[in-house]
Amino acid sequence: MAGTLPALGLGGLAVPGAAHAASPDAPLHIVCIGAHPDDPESGCGGTLARFTAAGWRVTIVYLTRGEAGIPGKTHAQAAAIRTAEAEAACRILRATPVFAGQIDGATEFNHARYAAFIELLRPRRPDLIFTHWPVDTHPDHEVAALLGWRAYLALRPRLGLYLYEVDLGGETFGFSPNHYVDIGAVVAQKKAALFAHQSQHPAEIWDDYHREMENFRGREAGVQQAEAFVELTRLWPQGGLPNVLS
Ligand SMILES: [Zn+2]
């Protein structure tokens, strides 16, 4: 495989940031962007659990509150239910939820939206950003991917940008990972976070999609269960990022 995420990957590579992470004064900070409540948990909940266990701070930025995601409920009703579910999932992962204020099914990517999104993230000073892979059947996932990419370019988090899949073969297409994280030790924690989203029929989704995806990525990586990523970290031409993943 091409490499690993800092601090947590497979293959015993160097652990940039580990000493830093141990400092209570300055824990490293991950910002994970998802279009809807349950997307970050689906694509990288295990990885986020490993990072928080290692002392990193994790903020999950939900672009929407899943307003359109419960049949028979109004947007306001669904948003209230799914906000509470996202907050419960974040407690399980020991992450901090932030809601970015767009609307499920009607997300927008334009200059004003990405400028506002960058300013939402700027004071949080992420060291590393996760977001969706953009080639996806759900337009909100595409928007979240592009907002994450814009935030990455603007804020230059020093440990890079990693894109995650949410539903291989169902929503995520053309995804060819170059990084894997072994999540075998935290599968139960990830599953609990997913099952916090009771309005989304988690048992069916787990059986039909997530378990299959983790096992498939695990086979690729040579472990039981893994999550997979595309790393898009850029080496900035001037004053740039350290090549922490070499
Ligand atoms: Zn979604």
Side-chain angles (χ1 to χ4, degrees), residues 118 197 209:
I118 289 165
H197 297 278
Y209 298 103

Side-chain angles (χ1 to χ4, degrees), residues 89-101:
C90 283
R91 283 194 292 275
I92 291 166
L93 298 175
R94 295 194 282 278
T96 301
V98 169
F99 296 91

Side-chain angles (χ1 to χ4, degrees), residues 2-164:
T4 71
L5 281 164
L8 290 177
L10 304 168
L13 296 188
V15 183
H20 191 159
S23 164
D25 296 331
L28 292 171
H29 188 203
I30 287 172
V31 168
C32 178
I33 299 156
H36 311 109
D38 85 358
D39 286 327
E41 297 88 327
S42 301
C44 55
T47 299
L48 297 179
R50 289 200 57 191
F51 274 113
T52 56
W56 294 51
R57 284 196 302 133
V58 173
T59 297
I60 296 180
V61 177
Y62 297 101
L63 189 56
T64 76
R65 295 175 186 263
E67 290 85 350
I70 306 180
K73 300 287 187 190
T74 66
H75 274 202
Q77 290 169 334
I81 292 166
R82 299 195 67 189
T83 297
E85 291 173 346
E87 289 168 345
C90 283
R91 283 194 292 275
I92 291 166
L93 298 175
R94 295 194 282 278
T96 301
V98 169
F99 296 91
Q102 292 219 39
I103 302 300
D104 182 3
T107 56
E108 299 172 342
F109 180 76
N110 54 42
H111 182 80
R113 286 293 193 183
Y114 72 68
F117 192 77
I118 289 165
E119 294 315 311
L120 177 70
L121 265 56
R122 189 187 302 281
R124 295 176 166 84
R125 302 171 62 87
D127 294 295
L128 190 156
I129 293 176
F130 287 102
T131 194
H132 288 257
W133 171 252
V135 184
D136 191 293
T137 59
H138 200 308
D140 293 343
H141 297 174
E142 274 184 284
V143 170
L146 294 175
L147 288 171
W149 170 241
R150 281 287 137 204
Y152 171 68
L153 293 176
L155 303 177
R156 298 189 176 193
R158 64 190 187 88
L159 298 179
L161 175 70
Y162 291 83
L163 308 180
Y164 63 83

Side-chain angles (χ1 to χ4, degrees), residues 2 22 100 144 176 178 180 199 210 237:
S176 184
N178 54 17
Y180 296 84
S199 69
H210 294 140

